[in-house]
C-alpha cells in the first residue's frame, strides 16, 4: 500500500488504521475493548445479555470501516474524504448526546471527541490541500499522480474548488 499523498489522506489513513486495529482488538479481546470504553465487565453475564454479540458486530464494523478508509487512501478517493467529514460530525453529535443523556458512560465521550476531532482534521486537510493547489505549491506526492489532471503531485482540480 502506498503512503497517503495529501494532508487529508493522512488524516483518513490514521483513522482507518486505528479503526482497523480497534476493531481487531474488540474481536480478539472484547473485555479489553469494553474497559477502554468505560463499560463494566462483570464476571458473568445474565441470560438475555447480548453485550458480546453487539461488541462482535460493532468490532467487525470498525474493522471493515478501517479497511474502507485505507482503500480510500490508497486510491486518493477525495469525495469519500469529504463525505466522512459530515458523517463523523453526525457521529460526534450522536455519541455526545448518548453521554449527556446517561445512555453511555462519561468515558465514552472520548469516542465522540475522536470522531469530532477527526472530522475537523480531515476538513482542515482538505482545505490545506486545496489551498496548496490554488497557490501552485503542491509538492510531489500531494495527490494521486495516476489521475489525469494538472500533473504529478497535484490534488485533482475538482477538489480544489470544494
Amino acid at each position: 500500500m502506498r503512503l497517503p499523498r495529501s494532508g487529508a489522506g493522512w488524516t483518513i489513513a490514521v483513522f482507518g488504521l486505528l479503526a482497523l486495529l480497534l476493531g481487531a482488538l474488540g474481536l480478539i479481546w472484547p473485555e479489553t475493548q469494553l474497559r477502554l470504553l468505560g463499560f463494566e465487565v462483570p464476571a458473568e453475564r445474565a441470560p438475555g445479555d447480548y453485550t458480546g454479540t453487539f461488541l462482535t458486530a460493532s468490532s467487525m464494523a470498525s474493522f471493515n470501516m478501517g479497511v474502507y478508509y485505507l482503500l480510500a487512501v490508497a486510491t486518493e478517493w477525495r469525495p469519500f474524504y469529504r463525505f466522512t467529514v459530515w458523517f463523523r460530525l453526525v457521529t460526534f453529535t450522536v455519541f455526545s448526546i448518548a453521554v449527556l443523556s446517561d445512555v453511555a458512560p462519561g468515558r465514552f465521550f472520548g469516542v465522540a471527541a475522536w470522531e469530532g476531532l477527526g472530522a475537523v482534521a480531515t476538513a482542515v486537510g482538505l482545505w490545506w490541500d486545496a489551498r496548496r493547489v490554488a497557490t501552485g505549491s503542491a509538492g510531489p506526492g500531494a495527490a494521486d499522480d495516476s489521475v489525469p489532471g494538472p500533473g504529478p503531485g497535484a490534488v485533482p482540480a475538482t477538489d480544489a474548488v470544494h
Side-chain angles (χ1 to χ4, degrees):
M1 179 163 169
R2 294 201 239 174
L3 289 176
R5 296 172 296 281
S6 65
W10 277 103
T11 69
I12 296 293
V14 168
F15 180 76
L17 184 61
L18 286 173
L20 186 134
L21 293 174
L22 289 171
L25 177 70
L27 291 169
I28 298 167
W29 294 296
E31 295 81 18
T32 302
Q33 181 79 309
L34 288 171
R35 284 186 188 98
L36 281 173
L37 294 171
F39 293 105
E40 291 181 29
V41 180
E44 191 175 309
R45 296 257 175 217
D49 180 346
Y50 296 106
T51 302
T53 304
F54 180 77
L55 185 60
T56 299
S58 61
S59 293
M60 193 67 230
S62 178
F63 186 90
N64 286 342
M65 186 171 51
V67 171
Y68 303 152
Y69 273 62
L70 293 174
L71 179 60
V73 170
T75 60
E76 190 69 20
W77 187 22
R78 298 182 66 78
F80 179 80
Y81 298 178
R82 288 190 300 273
F83 173 83
T84 68
V85 169
W86 296 109
F87 279 88
R88 290 184 77 188
L89 289 172
V90 169
T91 304
F92 164 77
T93 303
V94 170
F95 288 179
S96 294
I97 291 170
V99 171
L100 294 172
S101 61
D102 290 327
V103 170
R107 197 165 175 188
F108 193 71
F109 184 72
V111 179
W114 168 252
E115 291 289 343
L117 292 172
V120 170
T122 300
V124 168
L126 287 164
W127 170 81
W128 183 66
D129 294 341
R131 185 168 176 237
R132 287 181 32 205
V133 168
T135 62
S137 63
D144 186 358
D145 54 0
S146 67
V147 176
V155 176
T158 55
D159 291 327
V161 295
H162 293 286

